[in-house]
Amino acid sequence: MTVASPSRLYSDLDVRAELDVPLGPQTWFGIGGRADLLVHPRSVDALATLARRCRRDGIPLRVLGSGANLLVDDEGVDGVVVKLDEGPFQGVDFNLEGRVERMRVHGGASMERLVQACARQGLRGIEPMSGIPASLGGAIRMNAGGKFGAIGDAVDAVAIVGLDGELRVHPRDEIRFGYRETSLPEGTVVWASLRVEPDDPVACRNRVKEIFAYKKSTQPMSASSAGCMFRNPTMPDGRRESAGRLIDLAGLKGAREGGAFVSTEHGNFLAVDKGAATDDVRRLVERIQAEVAAKHGVELETEVVFWRRGDEA
Ligand code: EPU
């Protein structure tokens, strides 16, 4: 929906706002259309009030993390897009309540920087996130991770501004962390407290390096891509199978639709040429789903999130 006189949503709030902003450059794919309204809140209160107003007026509110797992439609997105890149939503408070094993990470903080900072300080527990591009909020939402663990393993509590604009703190024992999903309610993650353990900084740095090297040896780290496109499916015998392997076995490595193609290194990585359209990616996704279903009898579900005008946020 196009928002009539959008400034009424934010003009009295402590935010920075931009109209008609290209979103492609803010995503890892680097393609897609524009946001009608991009808002950068400078306080939790401003975010909460904005969320309340969007709910009141039936305006979709979407949160843009680091854009690492996101594809924006060529026609762009309507409503409000929020980005937590202002001071209060960045960074990490180490030594929470004077305890070295506790820290609070703000919603817009970069996971890559967090991994590096923890390694430098000799704090163990976050290194499974090495080489996973994400903001804290995006990582929590997706329970991001891989072979070496997931962010949920380290979570103590998560604070969310809900769609109703209320700030709630969800303790760990109330959250279910599953495979690339959580039971957290919708809304914007504003911080999470994480648990780490003091360890030898050299050992910490080495673990980060090893995990990163493993990823580099098995995945294309440089292409314009959003990492794995599909969730690993559960096969009829209950085993979780690598979507990349299924795509590879279906002979689809290197397959192409317009400017979008399947990586020749790892079947679950789709990448794009400069100038590609989101529609190219969508057609390639549909073709892969159809061919994998025909060959292996399983439906692949996308892990990457698609944003489209008119969709429920
Ligand atoms: N394989 C192939 N061909 C391929 C890809 C993989 O034969 O094209 C084989 C590999 O040789 C290996 C097996 O499949 O024997 C599993 O491959 P890999 O270790 O790469 O793991 P994956 O299951 O394909 C998952 C995550 C990745 C994560 C890796 C490593 C999903 C959808 N993918 O991939 O996460 O990096 O494990 O921990 O859960 C992401 O979430 O964006 C992502 C890339």
Side-chain angles (χ1 to χ4, degrees):
M1 93 173 352
T2 309
V3 180
S5 49
S7 67
R8 78 192 149 77
L9 287 173
Y10 61 80
S11 58
D12 59 337
L13 301 180
D14 190 13
V15 302
R16 185 162 63 82
E18 300 171 276
L19 293 168
D20 197 26
V21 188
L23 284 181
Q26 313 221 27
T27 71
W28 276 59
F29 271 116
I31 60 175
R34 308 167 85 88
D36 289 354
L37 174 59
L38 180 61
V39 180
H40 312 259
R42 293 199 180 101
S43 71
V44 173
D45 271 354
L47 170 66
T49 308
L50 183 67
R52 265 195 299 279
R53 289 176 185 173
C54 285
R55 149 81 56 108
R56 178 194 67 197
D57 297 351
I59 295 167
L61 183 148
R62 298 174 170 87
V63 190
L64 175 62
S66 67
N69 212 30
L70 177 65
L71 248 174
V72 178
D73 191 71
D74 296 315
E75 303 304 317
V77 284
D78 52 355
V80 174
V81 176
V82 162
K83 183 143 173 112
L84 301 183
D85 53 358
E86 293 286 329
F89 294 104
Q90 292 285 309
V92 184
D93 307 327
F94 287 101
N95 288 320
L96 204 58
E97 292 151 7
R99 294 165 68 181
V100 68
E101 67 275 18
R102 292 287 176 86
M103 59 183 170
R104 176 176 291 186
V105 187
H106 296 275
S110 142
M111 291 307 294
E112 296 111 301
R113 273 193 236 139
L114 178 66
V115 166
Q116 295 303 334
C118 286
R120 258 198 319 274
Q121 300 191 31
L123 297 171
R124 182 158 75 132
I126 309 296
E127 63 279 1
M129 302 302 292
S130 308
I132 298 182
S135 62
L136 182 271
I140 295 274
R141 278 264 159 248
M142 304 286 301
N143 192 20
K147 192 184 173 80
F148 304 92
I151 186 73
D153 305 341
V155 165
D156 251 347
V158 180
I160 292 185
V161 168
L163 297 180
D164 57 0
E166 294 300 315
L167 176 70
R168 291 187 190 84
V169 177
H170 303 268
R172 178 189 180 86
D173 56 9
E174 286 176 15
I175 312 169
R176 195 182 51 75
F177 286 99
Y179 166 69
R180 297 294 109 76
E181 63 181 17
T182 75
S183 62
L184 285 164
E186 285 180 71
T188 309
V189 173
V190 290
W191 56 257
S193 50
L194 303 182
R195 191 179 288 247
V196 283
E197 281 173 47
D199 195 357
D200 172 33
V202 175
C204 287
R205 272 201 299 274
N206 285 343
R207 248 190 321 274
V208 167
K209 273 193 208 146
E210 274 164 34
I211 295 177
F212 195 79
Y214 170 83
K215 292 202 70 140
K216 215 170 158 198
S217 68
T218 55
Q219 299 175 2
M221 306 278 288
S222 54
S224 302
S225 136
C228 287
M229 174 56 75
F230 300 98
R231 296 164 61 86
N232 282 346
T234 308
M235 302 303 278
D237 62 6
R239 238 174 352 106
R240 204 174 270 287
E241 173 62 282
S242 161
R245 212 170 84 82
L246 297 178
I247 294 166
D248 189 357
L249 290 172
L252 287 164
K253 273 187 170 170
R256 178 178 274 280
E257 290 289 332
F261 59 97
V262 180
S263 156
T264 49
E265 260 177 83
H266 193 295
N268 204 359
F269 279 65
L270 272 53
V272 294
D273 296 329
K274 229 175 153 52
T278 300
D279 205 49
D280 298 340
V281 184
R282 200 190 310 281
R283 278 188 289 128
L284 186 57
V285 162
E286 286 168 5
R287 177 171 152 206
I288 292 168
Q289 285 170 323
E291 292 192 26
V292 167
K295 170 134 182 125
H296 302 291
V298 280
E299 298 287 336
L300 291 181
E301 268 178 59
T302 53
E303 175 182 308
V304 168
V305 175
F306 281 77
W307 278 1
R308 209 180 339 206
R309 234 165 240 287
D311 277 355
E312 290 284 307

